[in-house]
């Protein structure tokens, strides 16, 4: 039985109502919505019926209460979420320039989840997990990276596995902790899930064949590479197999969260023994459902919702 843990930001998100609205003048926003890439991932894992533990911190405020209540309702094991009395729940503001470009203002390092340390990671709870998923967006402080190390060592020492979604936010790339941690984490990664736009950051030089980078990653010790390609679907590579599975034609309401839902669905199904091609198809469906709802965590889906989506697609 698969039980997956994640560590990182649990926050509220506010979404600018108009394209190109920006943040430099008063405007209208939707929200607060529960959010945070590891939280969306954990929510999607739980909705599929797998064990899902999120380690995070929230403040003692209404945002924190809403987030924890939401995750608990969806089946996430929330004992790993610490309520800090003297801190405020993290927040993010997002404004879309168009469907593929967006700007964020994050209030993370100084928020409750930015205060998460290795001491908040309860070993008894960690011992229940056989897989650890890492989100690059969570690597914004040395304290969190330390907590990640603890989880990696624990899970690996018991024969468990690690997955890594770089989930790069351009607003965070100048945080030196983050790029140093990428190298360390890749050394322990079994399943690596970048988007195709992120490959340059991991050593694909301009004009170079993607396969060259994939081969280097596999040689380095990564066992499974999954590349997310937005509307074009996704690909899977291992020493033995390559699969390319096209995406579904859906209209985009809000693209935030697609990669997190995709990753959660692929990783949990694959770990439970589903073959890569089918896991990719389900993950594409999960990503499609995510972008069809406004709000980053509002588009997570249950097993039966994904089944219904796939049935409707094949009937077309
Ligand atoms: P995020 O915006 O959450 O960081 P990402 O960049 O990690 O996402 P994407 O490739 O944008 O990842 O999306 C993940 C998956 O969601 C895709 O592989 C695809 O299955 C699905 N998806 C995303 N955008 C679309 C789209 N416009 N149409 C259909 N499917 C999509």
């Amino acid at each position: 039985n698969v039980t997956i843990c994640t560590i990182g930001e649990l926050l509220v998100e506010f979404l600018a109502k108009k394209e190109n609205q920006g943040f430099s003048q008063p405007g209208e926003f939707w929200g607060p919505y529960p959010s945070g890439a590891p939280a969306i991932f954990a929510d999607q894992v739980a909705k599929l019926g797998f064990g899902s533990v999120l380690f995070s911190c929230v403040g003692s405020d209404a945002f924190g209460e809403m987030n924890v209540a939401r995750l608990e309702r969806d089946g996430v094991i929330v004992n790993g979420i610490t309520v800090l009395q003297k801190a405020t729940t993290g927040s993010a503001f997002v404004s879309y320039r168009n469907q593929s470009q967006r700007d964020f203002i994050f209030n993370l390092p100084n928020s409750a989840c930015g205060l998460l340390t290795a001491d908040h990671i309860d070993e008894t709870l960690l011992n229940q997990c056989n897989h650890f998923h890492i989100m690059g967006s969570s690597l914004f402080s040395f304290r969190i990276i330390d907590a990640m190390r603890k989880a990696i060592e624990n899970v690996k020492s018991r024969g468990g596995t690690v997955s890594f979604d770089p989930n790069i936010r351009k607003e965070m790339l100048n945080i030196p902790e983050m790029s140093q941690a990428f190298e360390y984490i890749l050394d322990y990664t079994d399943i690596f899930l970048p988007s195709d736009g992120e490959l340059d950051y991991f050593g694909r030089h301009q004009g170079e064949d993607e396969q060259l980078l994939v081969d280097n990653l596999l040689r380095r010790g990564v066992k499974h590479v999954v590349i997310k390609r937005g509307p074009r679907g996704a690909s899977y590579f291992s020493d033995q197999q390559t699969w390319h599975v096209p995406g579904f034609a859906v209209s985009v309401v809000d693209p935030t969260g697609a990669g997190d839902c995709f990753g959660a669905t692929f990783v949990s199904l694959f770990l439970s023994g589903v073959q890569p091609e089918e896991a990719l198809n389900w993950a594409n469906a999960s990503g499609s459902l995510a972008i069809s709802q406004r709000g980053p965590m509002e588009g997570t889906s249950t097993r039966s919702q994904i089944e219904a989506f796939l049935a409707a697609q094949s009937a077309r």
Side-chain angles (χ1 to χ4, degrees), residues 58-60 83-88:
V58 290
S60 167
V83 179
L84 299 176
Q85 295 304 323
K86 290 188 179 154
T88 309

Side-chain angles (χ1 to χ4, degrees), residues 34-300:
S35 189
I40 299 167
F41 181 97
D43 194 74
Q44 179 58 82
V45 169
K47 276 198 171 179
L48 288 172
F50 296 99
S52 178
V53 173
L54 175 67
F55 291 104
S56 189
C57 293
V58 290
S60 167
D61 51 36
F63 290 162
E65 272 169 36
M66 175 185 74
N67 278 339
V68 175
R70 167 60 188 280
L71 292 172
E72 194 167 20
R73 188 198 78 192
D74 289 347
V76 176
I77 298 162
V78 293
N79 307 2
I81 302 172
T82 308
V83 179
L84 299 176
Q85 295 304 323
K86 290 188 179 154
T88 309
T89 301
S91 56
F93 293 80
V94 60
S95 176
Y96 285 104
R97 291 193 210 175
N98 50 50
Q99 277 179 8
S100 56
Q101 272 194 303
R102 64 205 145 161
D103 297 301
F104 285 98
I105 289 186
F106 289 110
N107 167 28
L108 289 185
N110 298 316
S111 75
C113 61
L115 300 175
L116 182 98
T117 68
D119 292 342
H120 293 112
I121 311 297
D122 176 60
E123 262 186 73
T124 315
L125 199 49
L126 199 53
N127 287 340
Q128 292 173 24
C129 306
N130 41 28
H131 183 84
F132 174 40
H133 179 76
I134 301 168
M135 282 289 182
S137 59
S138 311
L139 304 169
F140 55 81
S141 84
F142 275 126
R143 288 188 289 255
I144 294 188
I145 294 167
D146 244 18
M148 301 257 186
R149 278 184 214 273
K150 177 173 171 176
I152 289 174
E153 280 164 23
N154 174 299
V155 170
K156 283 274 175 168
S157 72
R158 291 181 294 103
T161 44
V162 168
S163 51
F164 174 39
D165 178 345
N167 203 25
I168 292 173
R169 298 278 173 260
K170 66 181 189 314
E171 288 80 359
M172 293 185 181
L173 274 179
N174 57 356
I175 302 176
E177 287 92 320
M178 192 172 228
S179 26
Q180 288 162 19
F182 277 170
E183 287 302 313
Y184 165 77
I185 290 166
L186 267 180
D187 285 339
Y188 293 92
T189 297
D190 299 283
I191 309 174
F192 181 46
L193 304 122
S195 64
D196 52 5
E198 287 166 341
L199 294 180
D200 293 342
Y201 197 81
F202 290 90
R204 180 188 60 184
H205 302 293
Q206 246 179 1
E208 235 174 48
D209 191 355
E210 178 184 280
Q211 187 67 45
L212 214 64
L213 173 66
V214 170
D215 290 343
N216 283 337
L217 288 164
L218 294 174
R219 223 172 292 128
R220 180 182 180 151
V222 176
K223 294 184 189 65
H224 315 275
V225 178
V226 177
I227 300 180
K228 293 169 276 175
R229 305 186 192 280
R232 287 174 295 113
S235 306
Y236 167 90
F237 304 86
S238 72
D239 274 345
Q240 274 106 42
Q241 302 178 48
T242 299
W243 293 101
H244 300 287
V245 177
F248 298 99
V250 289
S251 43
V252 183
V253 176
D254 178 3
T256 303
D260 311 330
C261 291
F262 174 99
T265 303
F266 181 85
V267 169
S268 51
L269 291 180
F270 184 69
L271 291 175
S272 74
V274 174
Q275 290 305 302
E277 188 187 17
E278 195 187 350
L280 282 181
N281 200 39
W282 273 63
N284 281 338
S286 177
S288 298
L289 287 163
I291 62 174
S292 314
Q293 298 291 326
R294 179 175 300 122
M297 202 190 281
E298 307 312 299
T300 51

